[in-house]
Amino acid sequence: MTADPFETAALIAVDWGTSRCRAMLLDRTGAILAEAESGDGIAALGGQGHEEAFDRVVAGWPDRPAIMAGMIGSRQGWREAAYVTVPTSLDALTAGLLRFETSEHRPLAIVPGLVLRSEARDGDVIRGEETQLVGLMEKEPDFEGLAILPGTHSKWAAVRAGEITSFQTFMTGEMFELLAKKSFLRHSVSESADDLASSPDFELAVRRSVEAELPFLAAVFSVRVRQLLNGVSGDDNLAYLSGLVIGGEIAAARKIGLRKAGEAVRIIGSRSLARAYLKAFHILGEDAETLDGTDLVRAGLVKLARANGML
Amino acid sequence: MTADPFETAALIAVDWGTSRCRAMLLDRTGAILAEAESGDGIAALGGQGHEEAFDRVVAGWPDRPAIMAGMIGSRQGWREAAYVTVPTSLDALTAGLLRFETSEHRPLAIVPGLVLRSEARDGDVIRGEETQLVGLMEKEPDFEGLAILPGTHSKWAAVRAGEITSFQTFMTGEMFELLAKKSFLRHSVSESADDLASSPDFELAVRRSVEAELPFLAAVFSVRVRQLLNGVSGDDNLAYLSGLVIGGEIAAARKIGLRKAGEAVRIIGSRSLARAYLKAFHILGEDAETLDGTDLVRAGLVKLARANGML
């Protein structure tokens, strides 16, 4: 008789966003026994069929409690998990977990998003990234500083004394895509290029944006001018545009004072994008470290499941 | 026998841009005898057939010399009129006119665009707007200050002592369209709304962008947040987004020092867009005046034709 490979399974941890549903079967220590994913993101599901989509992803796995983070807790998700207001601690986040049972009585918890209330700039919301922040705080309990989660909508979050104290969304990835693919500038940049951040034009754009404080809106047309007047290649110009949006993000974050001078920086995300941000910080003579996002989601979900008695 | 209505015709003045070709038959004083236009813009023509397109527009008009401004002088136009470098005077612009004859020996002149060379931000180019600036200098010979030509690619130009001294392009109109129609924010704004600039949300966005110096990249996601958290309507949010891009443009222009403190401002363009910019200046407690763009194109073409001995 073969030993049951899932004998030690204790928890199903799910990262369920707009475009993907990623599930992990974990043992009591948080180690991965199995992984599965599907394209049944919140957008594809259109507000229904979440339980069936979940059952499909975990088919063949033993019946264990599940904890989920991401857009699955939004209004278009399975059930809406109300935002928790920052500053917030792990305890407040745990108390904000939305708990219910599936129709087959499987215990389920959805991690709430975070909301920032601000008179000066209307506030902000996060959903999914809070779990990576918990993962960061679990792996580095004494961390104080700034976590950057680059992406379509890049998030900066301040972590101090075991709390998530503030955050800010920048539409950096989307801005880059819009300008490179849908704007007039698309004629002046390549469709794609490898390792943009290693180009001298990336560095030039970062320095202009942050050190020279060239405003983004005054800088962006230069992508066209560089090609027209200076014959800059499409690859170099794409790197320049990338430097303008990433540098512009760093400059804007400085301006709103999200990070205290000298505070540590952790960049959380996919390898190539996190490396581009790391490069930008190095160009500016600042230190930063990169961390794997997937790993932090798991760590965060495990931490919240433990805090909530599910594990 | 009927008198020839075109007996006094002396010049054909043409504003020939990317999407439209607009021709005016003028007498010696610059008064309009007839107007005609077509959709044969530079983009539609695809680099050929300019003479035939011109002949179609002026069909039935007497054979007179023609002067043209706009993208017709670009690489994709009829013939390329090399950029003139700023600072530039009317004399330098006149000397830069590209003169040739059509295959039927009609004298023709194309107004050159302007180029700005800049180490700090690569430079910039204008093509078409220089003619409106000449029109402004013709109508107000003593004007010193800033001319703003709002649009898809908004242009700011400094005019001092009879010269165009500097200018800057902002992709404001295109940025607004991209964000309102193609980005994630499209779910948070109306498709269109009347009189955006009269909304208190337009004012709020202008004040935040210019007075509070909230960076554009840090402000733009709030369009989503305002709808999600504060229930701001699509119309008000579109007004807010409009205030962010126009306010962002004004803030960026301040930052790069295009305008000296207290200098006069003329806003040149279509009624509704020019009014929105005027409103923004009034919100900021500053004076400005609007001028009709079409009128200035004609005045500029007449002035250049005279300077060149065509009229």
Side-chain angles (χ1 to χ4, degrees):
Chain A
M1 233 176 100
T2 320
D4 178 1
F6 296 157
E7 196 186 339
T8 58
L11 180 75
I12 295 172
V14 187
D15 178 11
W16 202 335
T18 302
S19 52
R20 307 290 300 171
C21 173
R22 293 190 184 87
M24 295 168 277
L25 183 65
L26 306 177
D27 70 13
R28 291 204 63 81
T29 70
I32 299 172
L33 302 175
E35 292 181 272
E37 66 173 287
S38 81
D40 283 331
I42 303 312
L45 290 173
Q48 57 190 353
H50 300 96
E51 179 158 349
E52 294 74 8
F54 173 70
D55 287 344
R56 282 194 295 275
V57 168
V58 303
W61 290 2
D63 186 25
R64 294 292 181 277
I67 184 166
M68 306 182 169
M71 292 303 284
I72 190 65
S74 69
R75 212 168 292 168
Q76 293 73 41
W78 194 333
R79 291 206 195 172
E80 189 175 357
Y83 292 110
V84 170
T85 304
V86 293
T88 186
S89 63
L90 183 67
D91 286 350
L93 256 181
T94 307
L97 284 171
L98 176 70
R99 302 209 52 167
F100 60 101
E101 291 192 345
T102 65
S103 60
E104 314 238 311
H105 306 293
R106 185 202 301 264
L108 213 138
I110 298 182
V111 182
L114 301 182
V115 63
L116 169 84
R117 309 277 176 187
S118 156
E119 275 294 311
R121 47 183 220 269
D122 290 310
D124 208 327
V125 290
I126 269 180
R127 207 180 267 287
E129 292 86 355
E130 74 294 323
T131 301
Q132 292 177 299
L133 295 171
V134 171
L136 168 63
M137 291 154 73
E138 166 68 2
K139 282 179 180 281
E140 301 189 45
D142 299 327
F143 179 76
E144 301 250 327
L146 199 72
I148 301 176
L149 303 103
T152 303
H153 295 166
S154 180
K155 312 279 183 181
W156 290 51
V159 174
R160 283 176 201 125
E163 294 199 329
I164 302 164
T165 57
S166 184
F167 60 89
Q168 169 73 31
T169 302
F170 300 91
M171 290 175 58
T172 306
E174 184 164 12
M175 184 66 75
F176 180 70
E177 289 294 313
L178 285 172
L179 290 174
K181 301 274 200 311
K182 310 270 186 201
S183 88
F184 170 80
L185 299 180
R186 70 187 183 278
H187 305 299
S188 303
V189 299
S190 298
E191 278 193 35
S192 66
D194 288 337
D195 203 11
L196 294 174
S198 71
S199 161
D201 293 67
F202 178 84
E203 175 167 347
L204 176 66
V206 168
R207 289 194 189 279
R208 283 183 174 171
S209 302
V210 187
E211 292 175 349
E213 296 185 45
L214 184 62
F216 181 72
L217 292 178
V220 71
F221 189 70
S222 65
V223 173
R224 163 70 176 151
V225 174
R226 287 159 49 83
Q227 178 229 346
L228 188 71
L229 298 185
N230 307 343
V232 173
S233 75
D235 282 14
D236 287 338
N237 241 351
L238 192 67
Y240 185 78
L241 181 59
S242 172
L244 284 187
V245 295
I246 292 176
E249 175 181 334
I250 294 172
R254 278 193 181 181
K255 185 90 186 174
I256 62 170
L258 212 56
R259 175 185 172 209
K260 292 181 187 160
E263 268 189 341
V265 174
R266 297 287 181 277
I267 302 163
I268 302 168
S270 77
R271 199 153 303 204
S272 68
L273 194 55
R275 269 218 315 266
Y277 277 72
L278 183 65
K279 181 70 194 287
F281 276 92
H282 287 171
I283 286 167
L284 299 167
E286 298 196 45
D287 213 19
E289 281 177 36
T290 59
L291 291 167
D292 181 68
T294 315
D295 210 38
L296 291 190
V297 171
R298 180 167 57 95
L301 287 169
V302 167
K303 177 74 175 176
L304 285 162
R306 284 217 175 94
N308 188 40
M310 295 175 83
L311 190 66
Chain B
M1 229 177 102
T2 321
D4 178 1
F6 295 156
E7 195 185 340
T8 58
L11 181 75
I12 295 172
V14 187
D15 178 10
W16 201 336
T18 304
S19 53
R20 308 288 299 169
C21 172
R22 294 189 184 87
M24 294 168 278
L25 183 64
L26 307 178
D27 69 14
R28 290 202 66 79
T29 71
I32 299 173
L33 302 175
E35 292 181 271
E37 66 172 287
S38 82
D40 283 331
I42 303 311
L45 291 172
Q48 56 190 355
H50 300 96
E51 179 159 348
E52 294 75 8
F54 172 70
D55 287 344
R56 283 194 294 274
V57 168
V58 303
W61 290 0
D63 186 24
R64 294 292 180 278
I67 185 165
M68 309 183 165
M71 294 303 285
I72 190 64
S74 70
R75 211 167 293 170
Q76 292 73 40
W78 193 334
R79 291 208 195 169
E80 188 175 359
Y83 292 109
V84 170
T85 304
V86 294
T88 186
S89 63
L90 182 67
D91 286 350
L93 257 181
T94 306
L97 283 172
L98 177 69
R99 301 207 54 167
F100 60 101
E101 291 191 346
T102 65
S103 59
E104 315 237 313
H105 306 293
R106 184 201 302 263
L108 213 138
I110 298 182
V111 183
L114 300 182
V115 63
L116 170 86
R117 310 274 176 188
S118 158
E119 274 294 310
R121 46 184 220 271
D122 289 308
D124 207 329
V125 290
I126 270 182
R127 208 179 266 285
E129 293 85 357
E130 75 294 322
T131 302
Q132 292 177 298
L133 295 171
V134 170
L136 168 63
M137 290 154 73
E138 166 67 3
K139 284 181 179 278
E140 302 189 43
D142 299 328
F143 179 75
E144 299 251 326
L146 198 73
I148 302 175
L149 302 103
T152 303
H153 294 167
S154 181
K155 311 280 181 178
W156 290 50
V159 174
R160 283 174 202 127
E163 293 200 328
I164 302 165
T165 57
S166 183
F167 61 88
Q168 168 73 31
T169 303
F170 300 91
M171 290 175 59
T172 306
E174 184 163 12
M175 184 66 75
F176 180 70
E177 288 295 313
L178 286 172
L179 291 173
K181 301 274 201 306
K182 309 268 187 204
S183 87
F184 170 80
L185 299 180
R186 70 186 184 279
H187 305 300
S188 303
V189 298
S190 299
E191 277 193 35
S192 67
D194 290 336
D195 202 12
L196 293 173
S198 70
S199 160
D201 294 68
F202 178 84
E203 175 166 347
L204 176 66
V206 168
R207 288 193 188 281
R208 282 181 176 172
S209 301
V210 187
E211 292 175 349
E213 296 184 44
L214 184 62
F216 181 72
L217 292 178
V220 70
F221 189 70
S222 65
V223 173
R224 163 70 176 149
V225 174
R226 287 158 48 85
Q227 179 229 345
L228 188 72
L229 297 184
N230 306 343
V232 173
S233 75
D235 282 14
D236 287 338
N237 241 352
L238 192 67
Y240 184 78
L241 181 59
S242 172
L244 285 187
V245 295
I246 292 176
E249 176 182 334
I250 294 172
R254 278 194 182 184
K255 185 92 185 172
I256 61 172
L258 211 55
R259 176 185 173 210
K260 293 181 186 159
E263 268 190 338
V265 174
R266 298 285 181 277
I267 303 161
I268 300 168
S270 76
R271 201 152 301 206
S272 68
L273 194 55
R275 269 218 315 266
Y277 277 72
L278 182 67
K279 183 67 194 285
F281 276 92
H282 287 170
I283 286 167
L284 299 167
E286 298 195 45
D287 213 18
E289 281 176 39
T290 60
L291 291 167
D292 181 66
T294 314
D295 209 35
L296 291 191
V297 172
R298 179 167 57 96
L301 287 170
V302 167
K303 176 75 175 174
L304 285 161
R306 284 216 176 95
N308 189 41
M310 298 175 80
L311 191 66

